[in-house]
Amino acid sequence: MRPARSGLLTHILFAVLGAGTNYMVPVALFLQLPLMQQTLPEGVLLASRMNLAVNVVPICLSVVYVLYRSRPGMCRGEKAQPASGDGCYTRMYRLRRDAVVILLLLGNVAAASLAAAAWNVVIDGVSFFLYVACALAGMIGSFGAVVIIPWVSRYSAELIPAVNTGGAASMLVLALLDAAEGPGDAHPRFGASEFFSTCAGLCVAPLIAY
């Protein structure tokens, strides 16, 4: 995306971007609980363990990130460099922020793809890869609020509602897809792997928008 663009197209692009920087993948994972509980050895305990995986690691990493960003002299150091007239530091800082956004978008694709490929792989009675996908997806969701909103503000604060709207729209798409599947029915129209694969495809769209 380029700051020079404006108007409806820019708002649409940022809305699509918002679909890839929220809790879309964790929501997709939990929507498949009725089906996965019937298949995986954890049974009814699966929901609580998935919730633990989604929240514990991301919260710890978010705290570390906030402490890193708020350490003494950090903000002053970032603002003092561009004042010298040298724009090199500013460009490097923006490139670093852009790299973090790209990693978040790629992480969402990776989490959904891992769930699609290995949600039913069990190691010693543990759905290991499913929990890894939960942790990765939860990290993307938690860092979305910490990283994406300041990054979007760099373009225009007016684009923040577009990002939030895109995130809400992605949840609606997942809900409609889940209703079409019927994971709690005796004979679902398609399985969890197909659902997660579709979610991974949706996660590619924000990368294209970027």
Side-chain angles (χ1 to χ4, degrees):
M1 291 184 183
R2 297 181 180 178
R5 285 191 168 185
S6 60
L8 180 60
L9 177 59
T10 299
H11 282 78
I12 293 175
L13 290 174
F14 273 90
V16 175
L17 180 69
T21 55
N22 61 2
Y23 280 95
M24 180 174 70
V25 177
V27 168
L29 293 169
F30 278 96
L31 284 174
Q32 294 301 293
L33 267 175
L35 192 151
M36 294 190 296
Q37 285 178 337
Q38 300 173 15
T39 306
L40 299 177
E42 290 89 346
V44 295
L45 297 176
L46 184 63
S48 61
R49 294 181 180 179
M50 286 176 60
N51 188 51
L52 190 65
V54 165
N55 289 288
V56 170
V57 173
I59 288 176
C60 294
L61 290 177
S62 295
V63 170
V64 171
Y65 177 81
V66 171
L67 291 175
Y68 169 77
R69 296 290 301 162
S70 61
R71 74 186 191 273
M74 181 68 180
C75 295
R76 291 193 301 272
E78 289 177 352
K79 293 180 179 179
Q81 293 290 344
S84 65
D86 183 9
C88 180
Y89 183 87
T90 302
R91 290 193 296 271
M92 290 298 295
Y93 177 70
R94 289 179 176 177
L95 286 173
R96 187 174 63 187
R97 293 290 294 272
D98 290 343
V100 172
V101 172
I102 293 174
L103 287 176
L104 290 176
L105 297 175
L106 289 173
N108 241 5
V109 176
S113 300
L114 178 61
W119 70 270
N120 55 352
V121 175
V122 178
I123 301 177
D124 293 332
V126 176
S127 305
F128 176 77
F129 294 106
L130 176 62
Y131 297 141
V132 172
C134 286
L136 179 58
M139 183 176 64
I140 303 304
S142 62
F143 267 84
V146 177
V147 176
I148 294 301
I149 298 304
W151 181 82
V152 173
S153 299
R154 203 182 75 195
Y155 292 86
S156 172
E158 295 179 354
L159 294 170
I160 295 177
V163 173
N164 294 333
T165 301
S170 68
M171 303 298 181
L172 176 60
V173 171
L174 289 179
L176 293 174
L177 183 63
D178 182 67
E181 175 195 13
D185 298 343
H187 301 287
R189 293 177 180 84
F190 50 89
S193 295
E194 290 78 10
F195 185 89
F196 295 142
S197 296
T198 304
C199 181
L202 294 174
C203 292
V204 174
L207 278 169
I208 299 174
Y210 182 88

